[in-house]
Amino acid sequence: MSAITSGAEIRGNRAGVLSKAETLIKALPWLERFHGKTVVIKYGGHAMSDEELRHSFAEDIVFLRYAGLKPVIVHGGGPQINAALARNGIDSTFTAGLRVTTPEAMEVVRMVLTGQVQRDVVGLINRHGPFALGMSGEDANLLTAERKQAIVDGEPVDIGQVGEIVEVQVGAVRALLDDGRVPVISSIARGDDGQVYNVNADTAAAALAVALDAAKLVVLTDVDGLYANWPDSDDVIDSLGTDELAALLPSLSAGMVPKMEACLTAVRGGVPQAHVLDGRVLHSLLLEIFTDEGIGTMVLPSPPGDPVEVTA
Ligand SMILES: Nc1ncnc2c1ncn2[C@@H]1O[C@H](COP(=O)(O)OP(=O)(O)O)[C@@H](O)[C@H]1O
Ligand SMILES: CC(=O)N[C@@H](CCC(=O)OP(=O)(O)O)C(=O)O
């Protein structure tokens, strides 16, 4: 027998249906603006902690792909590397937000990023749509790096096999994008000296966003955005210009340093906007790209408005 719905029920559902249609229509200007555009998304290790959030991230990526955008993912894996180093009895320290990478730590970093985290992210996305394909920055000479030194109190400090990106060859990534794929990239680089280098994933994402002429860089992490007076307050800076950000950088600490440097590099390199978003919020990527809700911190070319007041 065919299913029958009463007229009263249909009229009762109408309001809910209309509000869903309104949500879709509100996304229209953003769909037009970003259709065919490349968006580089840094998926931080801390943003991968929860099962429901991981699926919401994968759904967002597949949604972006079906909506005609070209998402490129650069994944992190700091907490996963920490756990693997601890299991192997290898000490792990950070200088200026970067892991001091001995040759034995480098083996673990490479194995965890390309052999574990990248595989997990690819598998996760492909459960929602068959688009993801993993690459290391070493593949097809995507990322070439030289040994980097950290600067501490104005002095250069050796931090081992940490790489500073000196060349990006995006041919292989473009080929994947042209084929409708979603590249998932691990932040390991090759060196002309035959070494492999550990590159901070925020830094790698910024270099790729610039090289790919991306319309946006989005950095997903585990805080609301850039806090103005962290750790004393949780006031989030909604938006700031590159000049203000450059002035602020010396006062920032820990993981925020490479993240905000990445936003600065990307926007100064021609990417129109960079965002730091809370990956703990379900569907934060879709909310950022397809609505005008201000979530997280946005970096724009200077001047974007009044300078923010910040105390170190
Ligand atoms: N001004 C700041 N605003 C927000 N977070 C900050 C700030 N300064 C330092 N942090 C720290 O940086 C961390 C994010 O960096 P990180 O742990 O490297 O994340 P991810 O794994 O996502 O790359 C936050 O969890 C917070 O503890
Ligand atoms: C040089 C350096 O620090 N490399 C990082 C690479 C992974 C990373 O950046 O992961 P998150 O984005 O999750 O922090 C590391 O070894 O932890």
Side-chain angles (χ1 to χ4, degrees):
M1 200 178 97
S2 23
I4 291 182
T5 311
S6 76
E9 198 178 328
I10 290 172
R11 284 186 292 279
N13 284 340
R14 213 164 268 164
V17 171
L18 270 179
S19 100
K20 277 184 196 155
E22 264 169 32
T23 306
L24 289 170
I25 292 299
K26 276 190 188 146
L28 194 54
W30 308 107
L31 280 165
E32 276 178 339
R33 181 161 162 195
F34 289 111
H35 189 88
K37 297 279 169 45
T38 301
V39 176
V40 174
I41 298 144
K42 152 66 196 319
Y43 187 32
H46 281 115
M48 300 171 188
S49 53
D50 174 276
E51 181 70 9
E52 190 184 9
L53 286 171
R54 279 202 295 273
H55 282 284
S56 128
F57 168 79
E59 281 170 348
D60 288 4
I61 296 297
V62 171
F63 187 101
L64 293 179
R65 161 65 182 70
Y66 278 125
L69 284 81
K70 297 177 176 175
V72 173
I73 298 162
V74 179
H75 69 85
Q80 295 80 351
I81 297 170
N82 292 344
L85 287 171
R87 279 197 301 274
N88 286 280
I90 302 172
D91 274 350
S92 167
T93 56
F94 284 81
T95 298
L98 301 172
R99 186 185 306 279
V100 178
T101 310
T102 59
E104 62 171 354
M106 186 65 228
E107 279 185 29
V108 175
V109 169
R110 191 193 206 185
M111 189 176 65
V112 171
L113 291 183
T114 61
Q116 180 192 325
V117 181
Q118 181 208 92
R119 294 292 89 210
D120 287 348
V121 176
V122 166
L124 187 66
I125 294 170
N126 288 341
R127 283 174 65 181
H128 296 271
F131 304 118
L133 209 141
M135 294 177 70
S136 164
E138 297 167 77
D139 296 339
N141 290 5
L142 176 58
L143 301 175
T144 299
E146 286 176 357
R147 198 177 175 102
K148 179 186 172 84
Q149 293 194 308
I151 305 295
V152 179
D153 297 331
E155 295 294 322
V157 176
D158 182 58
I159 47 173
Q161 267 170 262
V162 173
E164 167 128 38
I165 297 174
V166 290
E167 196 189 338
V168 185
Q169 291 189 30
V170 285
V173 177
R174 285 205 197 282
L176 289 178
L177 292 175
D178 290 345
D179 194 34
R181 303 289 165 193
V182 174
V184 176
I185 300 167
S186 310
S187 58
I188 303 289
R190 63 173 285 278
D192 284 332
D193 54 5
Q195 301 270 12
V196 281
Y197 287 102
N198 179 11
V199 178
N200 174 273
D202 302 313
T203 313
L208 282 160
V210 171
L212 288 164
D213 280 327
K216 240 184 219 285
L217 168 67
V218 180
V219 179
L220 282 173
T221 183
D222 66 344
V223 279
D224 301 304
L226 177 63
Y227 296 130
N229 294 306
W230 190 83
D232 300 326
S233 101
D234 62 357
D235 292 342
V236 173
I237 301 174
D238 301 326
S239 94
L240 76 173
T242 44
D243 292 349
E244 290 163 82
L245 177 54
L248 198 61
L249 268 176
S251 71
L252 297 181
S253 58
M256 268 299 135
V257 175
K259 240 171 264 314
M260 298 319 298
E261 272 177 356
C263 292
L264 185 63
T265 305
V267 178
R268 284 201 167 153
V271 178
Q273 49 190 242
H275 303 254
V276 175
L277 294 191
D278 192 347
R280 299 167 307 176
V281 174
L282 285 172
H283 300 296
S284 54
L285 252 182
L286 292 190
L287 290 173
E288 199 295 309
I289 295 177
F290 293 125
T291 70
D292 31 35
E293 320 292 327
I295 57 167
T297 297
M298 172 164 65
V299 179
L300 296 168
S302 280
D306 297 326
V308 277
E309 263 190 47
V310 176
T311 52

